[in-house]
Amino acid sequence: RGGYDFNAMQAKWRPVWEKLDPFKARDDGSAERRYALTMFSYPSGDLHMGHGEVFALHDVLSRFWFQQGYDVMNPIGWDSFGLPAENAAIKRNEHPATYTYANIETQAESIRRYALSFDWSRRLHTSDPEYYRWTQFLFLRFFERGLAYRKASYVNWCPNDQTVLANEQVVQGRCERCGFEVTKRELTQWYFKITDYAQRLLDDMELLKWPEEILLQQRNWIGRSEGAFASFEVEGRDVPIKVFTTRPDTLFGATFLVVAPDAKLADELVTPDQRTAFDEYLRAVKASTEIERLSTDREKTGVFLGSYATNPVTGERIPIWAADYVLADYGTGAIMAVPGQDSRDWEFAEKFGLPIVRTVQPEEGFDGKAYTGEGPAINSANAEISLDGLGVTEAKAKISDWLQDKGLGERTINFRLRDWLLSRQRYWGAPIPIIHCPVDGEVPVPDDQLPVELPDLRGAALSPRGVSPLASARDWVEVACPKCGGPAERDTDTMDTFVDSSWYFLRYTSPEYTDGPFDRAAADRWMPTYQYVGGKEHAVLHLLYARFFTKALHDMGMLDAVEPFARLMNQGQVINEGKSMSKSLGNGVNLGDQLDEFGVDAIRLTMVFAGPPDDDIDWADLSPGGSLRFLQRAWRLSGSVESPVGADVSTGDVALRKLTHRTVADATELIESYRFNVMVARVMELVNATRKAIDSGPGAADPAVREAAETVAILLSLVAPYTAEDMWENLGHEPTVAKAGWPKVDPALLVQDSVTAVVQIAGKVKERLEVSPDITDAELEKLALASEAVQAALDGRGIRKVIARAPKLVNIVPA
Ligand code: ANZ
């Protein structure tokens, strides 16, 4: 055999594996099931470095479980609806499917070359009619239960993509996809009632082994606040104004009310003489973004509405203003302003000359404006109730009870989470399966008429123009109402692609199923996914939506699972020269080029070895050439072994055997705790030790050398499958090393002969002793005091105290 040649290995083993098909989930009950899932990709071009990383990391886990004998399901598919394909189609004057499916083939080929342990028999594409038929089916189930509904409201609008966006898709005031500043438009749109699930989405986080950072983001996004509603009578109006407050204890300091200018209420409250000023203000507000509106350091703006309310505890007549720092769709869209304790209210009061009353005594020495801290209530008493002297918590409880008794308010819980806006005015998505009939209203397309397939539109017909391109396909739009048979029209919006990805993990469990979106029995066998690997950018998007879908389907009796993803691992980004890769910076690294130059295994190894999975990795700091040299060194071991397959290893060199078994034991733990890079480092040590044993130790014929080399092959199969397979063959085995089985650890070989105990005097290390790992505290203390070095260091001083912590440490405190 010649030297290490990665091209030859790649050419040799790929067809062998494709024939063996070792990664097909058996689903036959022969072993415990494990569902390993990685976020499926958008087919927008070939694989990039980020895919390379996430796939390499995910494959370590999946292959580890295969080696351990689990029945692993590791499916692959494509999230193939969405804007990139549509924009490309407009540019190239073709159908989005052309671009989409060509890219899928390109990516599929790259993934195969990348040698991932996917089960290709479960492959799916969300843009296939066989898939989106079921997305539509699920939409209708949500619709039937009132979990999908249409309403008019101000929504996020991306002027560039000419479509609405969900709140989750607006990142710092900009479109999550194209970066354009998002504006507001009043439109009638479809929503999923995710808010019904707010509390359960919070509660069930307890079931999840996810990074704390992601859970925290979801928690904040859901934004639970405990507080109260309070009612304020309005002069000349029958209905009082209800406000939501988290600080009912500050009610005595409410010196004015503020309503959102774009809430209906503002329009109702404005008096004729304030009408012009108000209309002008409203126009300006509509042009601003939510981020701007909520920002604390922005100059406060607002307008007096001309109306007055009454503070229910002070009886004061207080003015009602409209200001954009109050949002229309949070709480009730109206607040009681308490400048004494709220900074934004303080600034507003200061700017417009409104009264400020402190109702919490600030700490000694406080010289700021609004006081938001703890302290006893002050100025908070009337003939009926006094909060004075009470702390914030007690005062809140007392006033809440009082309001409740008086019928002036009630305790409540408010969530920041809004319903999920799911309709899009774009072409390349699943059509919403609803027919609008002038007689019957919103009529679902009957299940047996699904899928509602997309009409054939391409090129310029897809150009964004604010209404869905589907509206221009008149033959498609005009249908008979399924109820009355009269003329009706199809809904022309398509679903957000996040709807497609909210249930794909269920479809994987029975991808061929034709009686429903998934076979319940199959889903119950596999769900929840044991492990999910993907990017943190999905924290409040996909990861939240998929949780909502799973719960809703559970409630509909379609599924046992209440959570989709039991464990989550996030990967970092691959950057270059300290910056994200981008065309404009010219620092892009092409995955395909790297694979051509260094081979698949060296690139995968480099990604895994670079650091902890969730750290960003800077390609400029890494050495794929070094990885390649290591793989060559490992591979050469397999050609050096001189003992036969199955040689009796019990007579082998004990030192090398101990290292081998220790390496396996540590690797097992390291993989389970996602420290793959350390695992690789341990394999490198084993490779070096094995080489040394061959060249200057017990020699190539010692069976311990075979045991070590086989172990290296198996451990490496998680990261460098081609090299590992080639080693396995050189060692006299049949393919595939991927199913060789995780090496068994002999506990007797893990016992350490001795450990180093450190002896400190007054905190300084004075002696190191080789001791038995089983030594007792008393024995260790005796040994330490008998040491010459210790006695010399004590130099005749007496001893006040000795603390022995066997077997590693003795601390001597001299008198
Ligand atoms: C009086 C008060 C006094 C308030 C005080 C706070 C501090 P979270 O915790 O985020 O739920 N608020 C209520 N509805 C609002 C809306 N639509 N737009 C903007 N602000 C709104 O915040 C709840 C608090 O935010 C509420 O409690 C209300 O101001 C304000 F010392 O009421 B508070």
Side-chain angles (χ1 to χ4, degrees), residues 564-585:
F565 316 125
R567 306 202 310 174
L568 174 71
M569 183 178 95
N570 293 132
Q571 83 281 5
Q573 276 191 45
V574 189
I575 59 174
N576 193 29
E577 296 153 1
K579 295 179 204 80
S580 294
M581 293 188 198
S582 78
K583 271 202 191 110
S584 58
L585 290 175

Side-chain angles (χ1 to χ4, degrees), residues 225 244-247 325-327 330 335-336 341-342 416:
S225 307
F244 170 67
T245 176
T246 47
R247 294 290 304 275
Y325 75 99
V326 176
L327 301 176
Y330 187 66
I335 67 159
M336 63 181 207
Q341 279 76 232
D342 183 285
R416 192 155 288 282

